[in-house]
């Protein structure tokens, strides 16, 4: 029952957030989900979920209003997020396209 309720609460949304002005970031602070929160002992880890730790006030994501602290970042510009450094790289590269989707 607990698993079923958790699955019911999980939803995935895709959307476009645009940087504005001279902003060099989307105004989000990320963190990796601690290993003990998601994996059983001795499991093989191919990727490490990344979630939003903080939204910067008046940043693009905060002003947009759809991202929340605790949301998991799954895909950036069509690329699956593997680890925290990978997510940061993808967001830096998104400067050319100027969006999180």
């Amino acid at each position: 029952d607990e698993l079923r309720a958790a699955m019911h609460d999980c939803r995935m949304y895709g959307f476009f957030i645009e940087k504005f002005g001279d902003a060099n970031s989307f105004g989000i602070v990320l963190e990796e989900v601690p290993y003990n929160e998601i994996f059983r002992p001795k499991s093989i880890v191919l990727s490490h979920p990344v979630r939003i730790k903080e939204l910067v006030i008046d940043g693009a994501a905060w002003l947009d209003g759809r991202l929340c602290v605790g949301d998991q970042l799954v895909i950036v510009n069509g690329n699956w997020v593997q680890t925290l450094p990978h997510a940061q790289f993808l967001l830096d590269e998104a400067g050319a396209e100027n969006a999180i989707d």
Side-chain angles (χ1 to χ4, degrees), residues 21-79:
D22 293 330
N24 61 359
S25 76
F26 292 99
I28 57 177
V29 177
L30 302 174
E31 67 179 351
E32 280 189 336
V33 176
Y35 183 82
N36 61 348
E37 285 187 26
I38 52 172
F39 299 109
R40 293 180 291 158
K42 299 181 183 178
S43 61
I44 297 173
V45 179
L46 300 176
S47 67
H48 213 103
V50 175
R51 67 182 169 203
I52 296 174
K53 179 179 179 180
E54 179 183 339
L55 294 172
V56 177
I57 294 175
D58 292 331
W62 184 82
L63 291 170
D64 179 80
R66 291 178 286 182
L67 291 175
C68 300
V69 171
D71 285 352
Q72 185 174 333
L73 195 61
V74 178
I75 297 174
V76 175
N77 285 342
N79 297 292

Side-chain angles (χ1 to χ4, degrees), residues 19 24-26 28 30 32 50 73 75-77 79-100:
K19 294 179 192 175
N24 61 359
S25 76
F26 292 99
I28 57 177
L30 302 174
E32 280 189 336
V50 175
L73 195 61
I75 297 174
V76 175
N77 285 342
N79 297 292
W80 287 90
V81 172
Q82 301 295 317
T83 61
L84 180 58
H86 185 238
Q88 291 168 329
F89 170 79
L90 292 173
L91 289 173
D92 289 344
E93 290 296 305
E97 289 83 24
N98 210 27
I100 298 175

